[in-house]
Amino acid sequence: AQSVTQLDSQVPVFEEAPVELRCNYSSSVSVYLFWYVQYPNQGLQLLLKYLSGSTLVKGINGFEAEFNKSQTSFHLRKPSVHISDTAEYFCAVSEWGLTGANNLFFGTGTRLTVIP
Amino acid sequence: DAGVTQSPTHLIKTRGQQVTLRCSPKSGHDTVSWYQQALGQGPQFIFQYYEEEERQRGNFPDRFSGHQFPNYSSELNVNALLLGDSALYLCASSLISGGETQYFGPGTRLLVL
């Protein structure tokens, strides 16, 4: 069975400071990895995804994430945050393989609050 | 491109009632997935429809059922509503292949009293 752990439920950070949101996963098969952002009263928007290849993935709004297979982690980073980055961030995995399934398993989310 | 649309945006029901939520996928997408997001939680997978059939199902009771139409739009039905069904219901559309990005709609917020 798959599971996703987001280690921090809330992360406060000052504007223009760097931030890292942590995500660890467990799965018995290989997975695809995703980070989504959810602004208040809205649906989810994809920030970035890892399918294969380079373990460093760049996404929208200056975010990037690094896949570490040995540590089963997919941490999200941004070198300098803005007020507009205040939102809920979700890490998600989907398995790949013969079943062809692609439903997403989500973590419980990390609330990023950028302080002016 | 209108993206994924959902209706209604908000809904209030009482225990025991039935509800139908609707979703129109992003243009070109053939797969619709439904998720339930309780307050303060991450979305949980309910089921996925492809070619008008339920392809995969999460850990939800049979009170939750769905349908996909030939134009790829989809409905989520919940019977015998419980207070615990209060949540944001998210629809996501994608292509069927593994790793394809799922695009989410704004959701329908259901309150069961």
Side-chain angles (χ1 to χ4, degrees):
Chain A
Q2 301 174 49
S3 68
V4 178
T5 302
Q6 292 186 243
L7 297 165
D8 306 298
S9 59
Q10 298 186 56
V11 173
V13 62
F14 286 102
E15 192 174 14
E16 298 184 4
V19 69
E20 178 180 82
L21 306 183
R22 296 179 293 170
C23 173
N24 286 87
Y25 70 92
S26 65
S27 176
S28 58
V29 299
S30 297
V31 296
Y32 300 123
L33 297 157
F34 304 80
W35 275 99
Y36 281 85
V37 61
Q38 186 175 35
Y39 298 103
N41 300 314
Q42 294 187 28
L44 281 73
Q45 180 184 8
L46 181 71
L47 282 176
L48 48 79
K49 65 181 181 182
Y50 173 79
L51 302 182
S52 64
S54 173
T55 58
L56 184 62
V57 180
K58 294 189 182 297
I60 63 171
N61 301 340
F63 284 94
E64 64 180 33
E66 186 156 19
F67 169 56
N68 188 318
K69 187 174 182 179
S70 63
Q71 297 185 7
T72 59
S73 67
F74 190 54
H75 300 333
L76 181 70
R77 303 186 185 99
K78 186 169 183 177
S80 175
V81 296
H82 304 289
I83 295 292
S84 59
D85 293 324
T86 294
E88 192 84 19
Y89 291 79
F90 292 97
C91 180
V93 303
S94 72
E95 66 178 17
W96 62 272
L98 296 177
T99 66
N102 66 348
N103 54 287
L104 296 169
F105 290 86
F106 286 88
T108 53
T110 297
R111 175 71 181 174
L112 173 64
T113 301
V114 180
I115 305 164
Chain B
D1 184 1
V4 180
T5 60
Q6 292 186 245
S7 63
T9 56
H10 295 82
L11 206 52
I12 300 175
K13 293 286 188 178
T14 57
R15 282 179 297 174
Q17 284 189 312
Q18 177 264 344
V19 67
T20 297
L21 311 181
R22 296 176 177 82
C23 172
S24 291
K26 185 178 168 65
S27 177
H29 285 177
D30 56 12
T31 303
V32 173
S33 303
W34 287 92
Y35 294 83
Q36 181 195 65
Q37 186 179 19
L39 200 61
Q41 300 295 318
Q44 287 197 323
F45 173 70
I46 303 174
F47 43 53
Q48 184 179 82
Y49 277 84
Y50 171 68
E51 293 188 338
E52 302 180 49
E53 291 189 357
E54 184 181 291
R55 179 181 174 87
Q56 194 169 23
R57 189 179 184 93
N59 189 25
F60 279 81
D62 292 344
R63 298 187 297 109
F64 290 78
S65 63
H67 189 77
Q68 186 180 34
F69 298 95
N71 67 353
Y72 306 115
S73 67
S74 177
E75 289 182 349
L76 163 66
N77 300 291
V78 187
N79 294 322
L81 284 167
L82 304 174
L83 296 180
D85 295 331
S86 295
L88 180 67
Y89 288 85
L90 295 165
C91 168
S93 76
S94 65
L95 296 173
I96 191 59
S97 301
E100 291 290 338
T101 299
Q102 293 195 20
Y103 292 83
F104 284 81
T108 294
R109 188 163 296 281
L110 172 65
L111 177 61
V112 182
L113 301 176

